[in-house]
Amino acid sequence: MTKISIAPDDRVFVLTGAGISAESGLPTFRASDGLWAGHSIEDVCTPEAWKRNPALVWEFYSGRRSDGAKAEPNPAHVALAELEARLGERFFLCTQNVDDLHERAGSVRLVHMHGELTKARCERECGRPPVEDRKVYKSLDEVGRCACGGRLRPHIVFFGEIPLEMERIQDEIQKATLMVVVGTSGSVYPAANFVHWARQRGARTVYVGPEAPLNASAFTHVVEGKAGEVLPGLFAV
Ligand code: APR
């Protein structure tokens, strides 16, 4: 089995996508039975959708909240938390996922670039920080308001909005000597560009997933397999 060796002066940047949570029972987006096969992005995941029909947007994310609450971290999430425990500040995790399975597995040095399912924030961008919110809403009347009067919206980066924490992410990519990308189709930007940024800095780049992503040619290694089967034995520290 392929081993990726991590030397004492390596710094590891990990990017994960929906595929890492697939073995926890959460659907990916672009599979034939994935989330975007059953829902139109334009109806539930754009600023226009929120303006037009906030009830439908909350219905979609409430469904994802109930699925997320039932799911458990799988061996892939655990393997990354264990790697962080060994590498400390030489490890950084950026996830595109809005579920909380990485933190429930023990990851700490992580950012959610596309937001978090367990939080909500003011629709008016009034400057107040996101609040914890795990409720599964049955109607829009149940959804709370911010202190400024704005309605609470899911703390999710909709298509057309700018991903979160980009400065910190860019800084960590600049420092990384090894980038490991897990379970993402390479079809959403800027995340699909991270591998190019890492390569420009001379880093080794490894992809793990059952099929090659769209940006496969940018990786120095592609390890084909399920994240939960590959990651626990992948790293030699
Ligand atoms: N282990 C690893 N990878 C897997 C597994 C698995 N067990 N099962 C599926 N995959 C891979 C698929 O091969 C696919 O390449 O996960 C990838 C999922 O791709 P997408 O559905 O496109 O999900 P993702 O790349 O995370 O989407 C990016 O798009 O809709 C937006 O904001 C949403 O963060 C999301 C972004």
Side-chain angles (χ1 to χ4, degrees):
M1 188 177 165
T2 318
K3 284 273 183 194
I4 305 295
S5 59
I6 299 178
D9 56 351
D10 271 327
R11 292 187 68 101
V12 182
F13 181 103
V14 180
L15 170 70
T16 63
I20 197 166
S21 296
E23 290 157 85
S24 294
L26 298 180
T28 62
F29 292 94
R30 292 172 183 79
S32 53
D33 56 351
L35 284 166
W36 294 150
H39 298 86
S40 133
I41 290 175
E42 290 72 27
D43 286 345
V44 295
C45 194
T46 60
E48 295 71 30
W50 175 255
K51 278 192 207 103
R52 201 169 46 233
N53 194 344
L56 187 61
V57 174
W58 265 123
E59 185 185 309
F60 175 70
Y61 285 103
S62 290
R64 299 197 52 212
R65 280 181 176 180
S66 34
D67 291 347
K70 283 179 224 139
E72 294 294 334
N74 68 53
H77 298 104
V78 173
L80 292 180
E82 285 176 0
L83 186 61
E84 178 181 349
R86 299 188 70 170
L87 300 183
E89 301 218 327
R90 294 192 291 126
F91 176 94
F92 187 78
L93 173 58
C94 171
T95 186
Q96 297 169 87
N97 299 345
V98 297
D99 66 57
D100 61 357
L101 296 178
H102 282 303
E103 40 275 70
R104 282 165 55 199
S107 290
V108 178
R109 283 178 54 77
L110 92 156
V111 293
H112 285 269
M113 66 179 291
H114 291 163
E116 289 171 79
L117 211 43
T118 55
K119 293 181 180 169
R121 70 167 192 264
C122 180
E123 64 176 351
R124 291 183 187 160
E125 308 291 348
C126 71
R128 290 181 177 81
V131 292
E132 190 171 316
D133 178 10
R134 294 169 187 268
K135 289 186 206 108
V136 173
Y137 294 114
K138 296 206 179 60
S139 88
L140 197 57
D141 303 337
E142 298 171 14
V143 177
R145 296 244 167 209
C146 175
C148 78
R151 181 177 274 135
L152 290 179
R153 60 165 268 185
H155 182 45
I156 299 288
V157 176
F158 294 147
F159 280 87
E161 295 181 327
I162 297 167
L164 308 172
E165 308 264 13
M166 282 308 297
E167 258 181 51
R168 186 166 175 210
I169 291 167
Q170 276 164 332
D171 181 52
E172 291 288 345
I173 293 176
Q174 297 250 322
K175 293 190 287 196
T177 56
L178 171 63
M179 175 175 281
V180 181
V181 177
V182 185
T184 174
S185 56
S187 48
V188 172
Y189 289 84
N193 265 336
F194 291 178
V195 61
H196 299 287
W197 300 348
R199 280 298 286 278
Q200 280 162 10
R201 307 283 307 177
R204 288 177 289 158
T205 52
V206 181
Y207 180 79
V208 178
E211 64 208 353
L214 290 178
N215 54 0
S217 61
F219 289 90
T220 48
H221 287 78
V222 173
V223 184
E224 285 200 15
K226 292 183 174 182
E229 293 169 9
V230 172
L231 285 186
L234 187 63
F235 305 107
V237 183

